[in-house]
Amino acid sequence: MINLLAGERIDQLFSENVKVIQSKKVFSYSIDSVLLVKFLKLPTKNGKILDLCAGNGAVGLFASQFTKVAIVQIELQERLADMARRSIKLNNLERQITMFNIDLKEARHFFDHDSFSHILCNPPYFKYLDTSKKNPNEHFAIARHEISATLADTVEITRFLLKDKGHFAMVHRPDRFLEILEIFKKNRITPKRLQFIYPKNHKVANTLLIEGIKNGKDYGLKILPPLIVHDEDGSYSEEVKKIYYEK
Amino acid sequence: MINLLAGERIDQLFSENVKVIQSKKVFSYSIDSVLLVKFLKLPTKNGKILDLCAGNGAVGLFASQFTKVAIVQIELQERLADMARRSIKLNNLERQITMFNIDLKEARHFFDHDSFSHILCNPPYFKYLDTSKKNPNEHFAIARHEISATLADTVEITRFLLKDKGHFAMVHRPDRFLEILEIFKKNRITPKRLQFIYPKNHKVANTLLIEGIKNGKDYGLKILPPLIVHDEDGSYSEEVKKIYYEK
């Protein structure tokens, strides 16, 4: 039996194979987590996956559907880490997924350098400025704004934890694209695949997916086909439905 | 009367409003020139446009359909500059368009710094390497490979010629995207609009359009909606037909 706290519910994904404990009051995953997992080619046998800024654990839970290698999750907020742990148990994934309720900036005290073959990250999207409109709910504020860790912190720890030629995939916002590229470069993570996500036809992109290789060679960047999330009538596009419901 | 040399033909574009002298043996414009012109919002009254690496003048000729401001063209190859001059005459555009048959690296001897409000460029796409497969036809080789001027040369002269807050638009290949961004940054041309062009649905991008502002502020980059060039059957997509045939 899994205990649900007040306001929590269980959502199912991928033909109901994964159950994720969610809460409107604390944290719910977005489509971005799903797209991130489907964007990166996960290792099937060898390797070790890290899910940074794991939130309620959705990214790692989804990833478990496509690989059997070990998945480590790092989440700063105790409340979210606890939800993730209960979801891991609910899905009987205790042997594959381990949640560390730590600050990613402290991760080098818990893991050796070059420990992971693949790192996934759905970080806070917004810079923390005194003038920023922040969600008064602390859980959302930390998940959305760079209150605890900046993009630079996240990529720096990624560089430390990722193996040579290891893969790093991140989902983020296009308005921070140039900054992302500079931080990748500074940490010698070479962009190899980029995909832009558009909310609808004829709209500017609102999301980007980027994959880099640690110490990768500086050529061969591919811009993947665009992904349009919604049809004209607001429902999910065929392509997104496929991502959501096909294994 | 306009003289056509051996192998030359006249092509018409934009509901037959523009006539361009082309030659399979020397140079023909590609769809990239058309997309470049339609990508940049041209000034209607004030301003002065420069078409760098002008080839047979297609970009400037197309641009003349959307603005009445003066257009200067620079082309190194005498044979192509001559084609462009005859096309200018053929379209009665001598008062709007002026072709300079010079090396762009010498342009600062012909023009003052900060002379242009808008610069368009469809440069050679390929690096000049001893190992490169080059077209044995010298005209094509120079137009396609960085034999005479590199991307760095081109953006450097752009920085010199462009007004403060002036617009620079270029068409290029995604595999050189990261290099383009670095060269833009070095010359303080801030990317503001990006569009990726895909040959067909579900294919990786083969072309990119980028607009930068000289000394522009470092935020607010927009990734425009994707443009798919061909339908499944190989014919032009509705969107490209619109670009080609609507004014």
Side-chain angles (χ1 to χ4, degrees):
Chain A
M1 272 296 293
I2 298 296
N3 291 320
L4 288 185
L5 306 185
E8 289 182 351
R9 67 178 194 278
I10 295 175
D11 282 352
Q12 294 186 305
L13 201 85
F14 296 129
S15 314
E16 313 195 345
N17 279 317
V18 192
K19 300 177 181 70
V20 186
I21 298 173
Q22 306 258 69
S23 167
K24 274 191 192 161
K25 286 191 189 155
V26 183
F27 188 91
S28 307
Y29 70 81
S30 73
I31 185 173
D32 298 356
S33 298
V34 183
L35 297 179
L36 176 64
V37 171
K38 285 294 191 98
F39 172 67
L40 187 64
K41 194 173 151 40
L42 296 171
T44 47
K45 277 187 191 166
N46 300 309
K48 195 170 178 185
I49 298 170
L50 176 64
D51 172 11
L52 268 181
C53 314
N56 70 340
V59 165
L61 292 163
F62 301 157
S64 73
Q65 297 303 295
F66 306 100
T67 176
K68 292 299 153 212
V69 310
I71 298 171
V72 169
Q73 302 189 304
I74 291 179
E75 171 52 42
L76 171 70
Q77 296 194 61
E78 194 180 347
R79 176 74 178 86
L80 302 190
D82 173 63
M83 281 168 88
R85 284 191 179 122
R86 285 179 288 131
S87 285
I88 293 165
K89 207 173 163 193
L90 180 67
N91 291 280
N92 299 310
L93 288 167
E94 297 100 319
R95 293 211 304 193
Q96 186 180 9
I97 309 183
T98 318
M99 165 54 79
F100 286 75
N101 175 207
I102 59 172
D103 187 334
L104 64 85
K105 294 196 295 292
E106 306 298 319
R108 61 183 79 212
H109 306 312
F110 292 81
F111 305 97
D112 281 340
H113 63 83
D114 298 19
S115 294
F116 296 93
S117 63
H118 294 72
I119 299 183
L120 292 155
C121 184
N122 183 356
Y125 290 147
F126 305 106
K127 277 181 188 286
Y128 178 65
L129 304 169
D130 283 342
T131 54
S132 303
K133 270 193 205 169
K134 278 170 291 288
N135 198 304
N137 178 320
E138 187 206 10
H139 297 298
F140 280 111
I142 293 176
R144 290 182 184 169
H145 291 266
E146 296 180 324
I147 293 170
S148 165
T150 63
L151 184 57
D153 296 332
T154 307
V155 181
E156 209 176 292
I157 193 66
T158 290
R159 168 159 190 83
F160 178 83
L161 297 175
L162 195 59
K163 276 185 201 300
D164 183 48
K165 305 287 187 274
H167 300 251
F168 176 49
M170 190 169 66
V171 55
H172 219 292
R173 296 286 158 125
D175 53 9
R176 295 190 66 186
F177 181 41
L178 299 177
E179 186 188 353
I180 291 166
L181 292 178
E182 279 191 37
I183 292 173
F184 268 51
K185 189 181 167 75
K186 195 175 158 195
N187 290 283
R188 276 166 290 157
I189 293 174
T190 311
K192 289 290 185 181
R193 288 163 77 240
L194 262 171
Q195 187 171 35
F196 293 98
I197 315 294
Y198 302 81
K200 276 193 177 184
N201 253 325
H202 310 299
K203 298 281 182 196
V204 299
N206 61 359
T207 307
L208 70 85
L209 295 162
I210 182 166
E211 178 187 349
I213 304 277
K214 179 171 161 180
N215 305 321
K217 281 182 185 155
D218 204 10
Y219 61 79
L221 173 68
K222 286 204 191 319
I223 314 290
L224 303 195
L227 185 67
I228 317 286
V229 174
H230 295 103
D231 284 341
E232 293 310 307
D233 65 3
S235 61
Y236 277 139
S237 64
E238 281 309 309
E239 215 168 340
V240 165
K241 280 183 199 156
K242 226 186 209 177
I243 289 174
Y244 261 90
Y245 301 112
E246 279 184 14
K247 269 209 64 171
Chain B
M1 273 295 294
I2 297 296
N3 291 320
L4 289 186
L5 305 185
E8 289 183 352
R9 66 180 194 278
I10 294 175
D11 281 353
Q12 294 187 304
L13 200 84
F14 296 128
S15 315
E16 313 195 344
N17 279 317
V18 192
K19 301 179 182 68
V20 186
I21 298 173
Q22 305 260 68
S23 167
K24 273 191 191 160
K25 287 189 187 157
V26 184
F27 188 92
S28 307
Y29 70 83
S30 73
I31 185 173
D32 298 356
S33 298
V34 183
L35 297 179
L36 175 63
V37 171
K38 285 294 191 102
F39 172 68
L40 186 64
K41 195 172 151 41
L42 295 171
T44 46
K45 276 189 193 166
N46 299 312
K48 195 170 176 184
I49 298 170
L50 176 64
D51 172 11
L52 268 182
C53 314
N56 69 341
V59 165
L61 292 164
F62 300 157
S64 74
Q65 297 303 296
F66 305 101
T67 176
K68 292 300 152 210
V69 310
I71 299 171
V72 168
Q73 303 190 302
I74 291 179
E75 171 52 41
L76 172 68
Q77 296 195 60
E78 194 181 344
R79 176 74 178 85
L80 301 190
D82 174 62
M83 279 168 88
R85 283 190 180 126
R86 285 179 289 132
S87 286
I88 292 166
K89 205 173 163 192
L90 181 65
N91 291 280
N92 298 311
L93 289 167
E94 297 100 317
R95 293 210 304 191
Q96 187 181 9
I97 309 183
T98 317
M99 163 57 77
F100 285 75
N101 175 208
I102 58 172
D103 186 336
L104 65 85
K105 295 198 292 294
E106 306 299 319
R108 63 182 78 213
H109 305 313
F110 292 82
F111 305 97
D112 281 340
H113 62 83
D114 297 20
S115 294
F116 296 94
S117 63
H118 293 72
I119 298 182
L120 293 154
C121 183
N122 182 356
Y125 291 147
F126 304 106
K127 277 181 189 284
Y128 179 65
L129 305 169
D130 283 342
T131 55
S132 303
K133 270 194 206 168
K134 279 173 291 290
N135 198 305
N137 179 319
E138 187 207 8
H139 297 299
F140 280 111
I142 294 176
R144 290 182 183 169
H145 292 267
E146 296 180 325
I147 293 170
S148 165
T150 64
L151 184 57
D153 296 331
T154 307
V155 181
E156 210 176 292
I157 194 66
T158 290
R159 169 157 189 83
F160 177 82
L161 296 175
L162 195 59
K163 277 184 200 300
D164 182 50
K165 305 288 188 273
H167 299 251
F168 176 49
M170 191 169 65
V171 55
H172 220 293
R173 297 286 156 127
D175 53 10
R176 297 190 64 186
F177 181 42
L178 299 177
E179 186 190 351
I180 291 166
L181 292 177
E182 281 192 36
I183 292 173
F184 268 52
K185 190 181 166 74
K186 196 175 156 194
N187 289 284
R188 276 165 291 156
I189 293 175
T190 310
K192 288 292 182 177
R193 290 163 75 238
L194 262 171
Q195 188 172 34
F196 293 98
I197 315 293
Y198 302 81
K200 276 192 178 184
N201 253 326
H202 310 300
K203 298 283 181 194
V204 299
N206 62 359
T207 306
L208 70 84
L209 293 162
I210 181 167
E211 178 186 348
I213 303 276
K214 179 171 163 180
N215 304 320
K217 282 182 186 157
D218 206 11
Y219 61 78
L221 174 67
K222 287 206 190 317
I223 315 289
L224 302 196
L227 184 66
I228 316 286
V229 174
H230 295 102
D231 283 342
E232 294 309 307
D233 64 4
S235 62
Y236 277 137
S237 65
E238 281 309 310
E239 217 168 336
V240 165
K241 281 183 199 156
K242 226 188 212 176
I243 289 174
Y244 261 90
Y245 301 112
E246 279 184 13
K247 268 212 65 172

